[in-house]
Amino acid sequence: PDLPVLYEKYPDALKKEQFLGDIQTDYSSRLATATDNSIYQVVPKVVLFPRSEKDIQKVFLLAAKPEFRTVTFSPRGGGTGTNGQSLTDGIMIDCSRFMNKIKQIDIAKGEVTVEPGVVLDQLNEVVEKEGVFFAPNLSPSNRATIGGMANTDACGKGSRIYGRTSEHIIKLKCLLVNGDVLET
């Protein structure tokens, strides 16, 4: 189906802002992100795959302009949520395609720095050589991203022993809807 005019204009305007990631408006790409591990299906109008933090800032700085203030967004990791929380009929932002790097590992401090699109199994495969793992233990660990786990405070099996995701996060760097950076 045709996109509403606002959602046709937004991707064009984002390209003019030199967004370097992928912008997908074709129906098949949108349909591929219309489901998660829940029973729901909601087709987004646009799917964005940012390449960097700067790309995400461009998304929200553009959205702050008066003509785009009614555009809605939802972040998406691996689409492993069971309550439909990553679904939207607006614009889907998926960091798993490009923002999926493990940036730093310091086993002595018990710290790892990752981009939001890093998959849980990807991280654990790297750190298991040191005899550690990132808890919790999720059943969709081959798809669940660390960003999505932080967003939903994923717990999974063994959470009574290992705790929730929030109990294993030391620091978060977040991009707010106005483009500001919040470190907490």
Side-chain angles (χ1 to χ4, degrees):
D2 292 332
L3 294 173
V5 174
L6 183 64
Y7 288 91
E8 285 181 1
K9 289 182 178 182
Y10 185 87
D12 293 335
L14 191 57
K15 288 175 190 172
K16 289 178 184 169
E17 296 293 327
Q18 298 177 344
F19 179 83
L20 300 176
D22 291 346
I23 301 171
Q24 296 183 318
T25 56
D26 60 287
Y27 188 68
S28 60
S29 295
R30 294 167 38 224
L31 189 60
T33 60
T35 59
D36 59 6
N37 272 356
S38 72
I39 61 169
Y40 306 107
Q41 181 178 30
V42 181
V43 180
K45 292 176 179 66
V46 179
V47 183
L48 302 177
F49 296 93
R51 288 188 181 268
S52 67
E53 178 182 316
K54 289 196 181 297
D55 268 356
I56 298 172
Q57 284 179 311
K58 289 174 186 178
V59 166
F60 290 127
L61 289 172
L62 180 61
K65 293 184 177 182
E67 63 268 33
F68 296 117
R69 287 217 174 135
T70 59
V71 171
T72 60
F73 298 88
S74 181
R76 179 185 178 98
T80 59
T82 57
N83 300 312
Q85 63 267 41
S86 69
L87 304 178
T88 183
D89 66 351
I91 296 178
M92 178 79 62
I93 302 172
D94 188 331
C95 294
S96 66
R97 182 174 289 176
F98 300 116
M99 297 180 69
N100 56 15
K101 292 160 197 70
I102 299 170
K103 298 181 114 180
Q104 181 181 354
I105 299 173
D106 187 337
I107 296 298
K109 285 185 176 178
E111 297 178 8
V112 178
T113 303
V114 300
E115 291 180 327
V118 169
V119 172
L120 179 59
D121 278 358
Q122 173 191 356
L123 174 59
N124 281 334
E125 185 176 308
V126 171
V127 299
E128 78 177 345
K129 296 168 188 152
E130 302 294 332
V132 297
F133 69 97
F134 184 81
N137 186 3
L138 304 179
S139 57
S141 61
N142 64 345
R143 299 177 312 283
T145 61
I146 303 300
M149 291 171 61
N151 190 40
T152 61
D153 198 16
C155 56
K157 64 183 179 181
S159 64
R160 295 184 70 183
I161 298 168
Y162 300 116
R164 308 176 73 79
T165 300
S166 60
E167 296 174 70
H168 301 281
I169 294 176
I170 298 167
K171 181 178 176 182
L172 285 175
K173 184 175 187 180
C174 306
L175 291 168
L176 303 179
V177 73
N178 66 357
D180 287 349
V181 175
L182 170 69
E183 292 194 29
T184 182

